[in-house]
Amino acid sequence: MSKYSSELKSQIVSEYLAGNPTAELSNNYHVSKKRINKWVQLFRMNGSQALKRRRHKRVFTQD
């Protein structure tokens, strides 16, 4: 189970992109600055889908 919901992650990322500083968001939401920066990086690389939780385990073949 994820500690932070995808809605909260999206809200924090959108506020960051709107110009709010990481330190302020960190204090308001009680989330580390490092974690916020990671969410922003994931969002920029993969879009909003990167912030959503995966519902099932990934299965790999031996090939």
Side-chain angles (χ1 to χ4, degrees), residues 10-28:
S10 297
Q11 181 178 356
I12 292 173
V13 169
S14 65
E15 287 185 29
Y16 174 83
L17 295 175
N20 291 332
T22 308
E24 182 180 320
L25 293 171
S26 177
N27 289 334
N28 291 344

Side-chain angles (χ1 to χ4, degrees), residues 2-37:
S2 178
K3 186 173 181 179
Y4 303 103
S5 69
S6 57
E7 291 84 15
L8 177 65
K9 293 177 189 178
S10 297
Q11 181 178 356
I12 292 173
V13 169
S14 65
E15 287 185 29
Y16 174 83
L17 295 175
N20 291 332
T22 308
E24 182 180 320
L25 293 171
S26 177
N27 289 334
N28 291 344
Y29 293 102
H30 305 289
V31 178
S32 71
K33 291 183 268 187
K34 186 175 181 179
R35 186 174 303 264
I36 292 172
N37 288 330

